[in-house]
Amino acid sequence: MSSAVVVEAPGAHRLVAHTPRPPGPGEAQVRVHAVGICGSDREVYQGNRPEGYVRYPLTPGHEWSGTVTETGAGVPDSLAGRKVVGEGFRNCQVCDRCHAGETTLCTAGYEETGFTLPGAMATTLTLPARLLHVLHDDADLTAAALLEPAACVAAAALKAGARPGERVAVVGTGTLGMFAVQFLRALSPAALLVVGTRTDRAALAREFGATDFRTKDQDLPGDFDVVIETAGSADAARNAAALLRRGGRLVLTGIPAPGADGLDPTDLVVRQLEVHTVFGAPPDAWAHAVRMFGAGLLDPLPLVTHELPLTEFPHAIELVGAGDPKVGKVLLRP
């Protein structure tokens, strides 16, 4: 029987029968292969996602992969049967930000798959075909389920603008941090430092291309050209900025809890640091992540530690928030 997870309200969920929605004009229906769980899904379930960024009742799931089963009017028939991933932000396509390609800044307001609109924790997902990115026919769909967080890091890598031979660093060793290492490695840096609290990630970071691994308690150099921060801890932004040379470039992707140590504006001005932020992934970042994946330069699979059925949704949520170093990326298989 087809099924779906529905979070009725914070802390309350149920598994329901799922009736696939036929695609309308411009839409495609996808048979979901796998859906990832991240901290924001835990926020949805616990009820502490910021107001306006969730709408109950809700079928979560914004990180996913699958195969197109049916297309609506105006969508090429050739899309049917193709392996795909898809963007989550539902942009208006007509405001100035959308025309500039900055779809995550759409002025029509926030709408996103798995948060305000039905997500992929179901047998099928129907969405606008324009949001889909087609994968190679031999693509590993389990690995591809992680391309949404990879696209967010791709946005950070594009904003960082690292060039071959530069000294680069990553702060954070979670899923985003490990993707950042892979994106930066592809640019042939002179040095690639990873800073994190999880020393168990040191070997994997080096496997992905890091040349050095340190904790924030160790002596850290301050001569890096580029730093991508992915930790989201209270002091991560300040620690990341401290790694930079004068005129260096910093990209922040983590979202710390209220009360975090802010960046020192005097330090930013005196050292002429260039600071960027990322929330979500626009189309060019998605395309970059999909290209990297297709070229074999991005390997998400080592990050997956658990694959569970939809019926194990509450257990999956517990795993994500347990802080167990043995738990990496958790996937649900509809």
Side-chain angles (χ1 to χ4, degrees), residues 171 197 216 229-239 254-257 260-261:
V171 174
T197 57
K216 62 182 181 181
E229 179 275 323
T230 67
S233 59
D235 58 358
R238 277 181 177 261
N239 291 339
I255 304 178
D261 293 333

Side-chain angles (χ1 to χ4, degrees), residues 11-300:
H13 85 284
R14 59 193 176 100
L15 200 65
V16 303
H18 172 68
T19 301
R21 181 172 72 81
E27 293 185 321
Q29 182 189 96
V30 176
R31 182 176 67 251
V32 178
H33 173 83
V35 53
I37 297 180
C38 77
S40 55
D41 296 301
R42 185 177 171 84
E43 290 177 351
V44 167
Y45 186 61
Q46 293 182 329
N48 49 20
R49 187 164 172 81
E51 185 178 356
Y53 289 86
V54 64
R55 187 180 301 134
Y56 301 100
L58 173 72
T59 293
H62 62 288
E63 306 176 3
W64 58 269
S65 63
T67 303
V68 176
T69 54
E70 189 178 349
T71 58
V75 179
D77 294 337
S78 59
L79 192 61
R82 298 303 304 273
K83 294 178 178 180
V84 294
V85 291
E87 299 176 32
F89 282 80
R90 305 294 184 91
N91 56 300
C92 74
Q93 298 183 281
V94 295
C95 72
D96 63 340
R97 291 303 86 206
C98 285
H99 282 305
E102 297 176 337
T103 55
T104 60
L105 299 177
C106 177
T107 60
Y110 172 77
E111 295 286 351
E112 186 176 3
T113 299
F115 295 109
T116 62
L117 296 167
M121 291 187 192
T123 308
T124 68
L125 174 65
T126 301
L127 73 167
R130 63 182 173 81
L131 299 177
L132 298 178
H133 290 260
V134 178
L135 307 174
H136 293 168
D137 290 340
D138 60 353
D140 184 330
L141 283 177
T142 299
L146 276 68
L147 285 179
E148 191 277 340
C152 295
V153 178
L158 291 173
K159 286 192 174 185
R163 295 179 284 272
E166 288 194 310
R167 291 173 55 79
V168 301
V170 175
V171 174
T173 53
T175 299
L176 297 184
M178 293 298 96
F179 278 136
V181 173
Q182 295 183 64
F183 278 107
L184 291 174
R185 174 197 58 186
L187 299 170
S188 301
L192 175 44
L193 169 68
V194 175
V195 179
T197 57
R198 291 184 55 179
T199 55
D200 61 293
R201 287 281 198 169
L204 185 59
R206 292 182 184 278
E207 179 182 327
F208 284 149
T211 58
D212 192 8
F213 183 97
R214 303 188 193 185
T215 67
K216 62 182 181 181
D217 299 322
Q218 295 177 287
D219 289 335
L220 297 173
D223 60 349
F224 285 89
D225 301 288
V226 169
V227 177
I228 295 179
E229 179 275 323
T230 67
S233 59
D235 58 358
R238 277 181 177 261
N239 291 339
L243 292 168
L244 288 166
R245 61 164 172 80
R246 289 172 57 88
R249 307 185 296 283
L250 172 64
V251 185
L252 304 175
T253 71
I255 304 178
D261 293 333
L263 295 174
D264 179 356
T266 300
D267 181 58
L268 297 182
V269 173
V270 171
R271 294 205 290 139
Q272 299 183 59
L273 300 183
E274 185 178 320
V275 182
H276 299 272
T277 60
V278 167
F279 178 68
D284 64 336
W286 270 94
H288 184 40
V290 169
R291 281 195 302 269
M292 287 273 290
F293 179 64
L297 297 173
L298 194 67
D299 185 9

